[in-house]
Amino acid sequence: KILNVAIEHSSGKYIARQDADDVSYPSRLRKQIELMERSNDVVLVGSRAIINNNGLVSTSPYLGESIVRHKLKRFNVFVHSSVMFRKKTFYKIGLYNERFITSQDYDAWIRLLKFGRLLIINDALLERNLSKESISTKRHTLQCINGYKIRKNIIPIYLNFYYTLLHYFSAKVPLSVVRLI
């Protein structure tokens, strides 16, 4: 609910997300605004991120526009803290769905697909810091369940089950093992 309240009280035409334990690089907002200003059909732009997961550091992947559209129907390809979106378009989807305690971002991105392009900038413009105390860690199982609910009318049930299991195990075993499945 607080995300929607913050959006409703904002005055800009763009909304940039950031979680308290993450760090945006100085060029992030400028690069995202420039892209949004050049391309009126882009409704959301994220970036790659350096992810520090309890000391294990990796970089989120770059995905081209067609791959974003394809993969988004299977799992959330955006680092929530890295996104900027058009406020006007976000109102068209009814803001974040407050029914979801977690994964409300994933649900919103799926609904935004109807209104324009969703892109990921190839530059890492954010550091995402995960710990045992992070919401993503504490509520991982709920995120998996909500992801399943969000995808249920988008992909066949067997694929939905498969991607839910992949998401679940990605936090339990090394990513290199999950990618083998």
Side-chain angles (χ1 to χ4, degrees), residues 43-110:
V43 294
L44 179 141
V45 60
S47 76
R48 296 177 71 201
I50 306 299
I51 300 170
N52 182 347
N53 189 349
N54 292 302
L56 297 171
V57 179
S58 63
T59 304
S60 63
Y62 169 73
L63 303 173
E65 181 179 351
S66 63
I67 295 171
V68 165
R69 223 171 230 297
H70 174 75
K71 289 196 180 241
L72 190 58
K73 294 175 183 172
R74 287 153 177 74
F75 55 90
N76 191 353
V77 299
F78 290 96
V79 174
H80 197 187
S81 279
S82 82
V83 301
M84 176 182 284
F85 50 85
R86 294 183 190 280
K87 181 178 176 181
K88 179 174 72 174
T89 309
F90 212 65
Y91 270 99
K92 288 180 183 177
I93 67 164
L95 303 171
Y96 287 105
N97 186 337
E98 294 176 5
R99 202 178 71 210
F100 294 110
I101 296 169
T102 68
S103 309
Q104 65 275 66
D105 57 326
Y106 182 39
D107 173 70
W109 311 160
I110 292 289

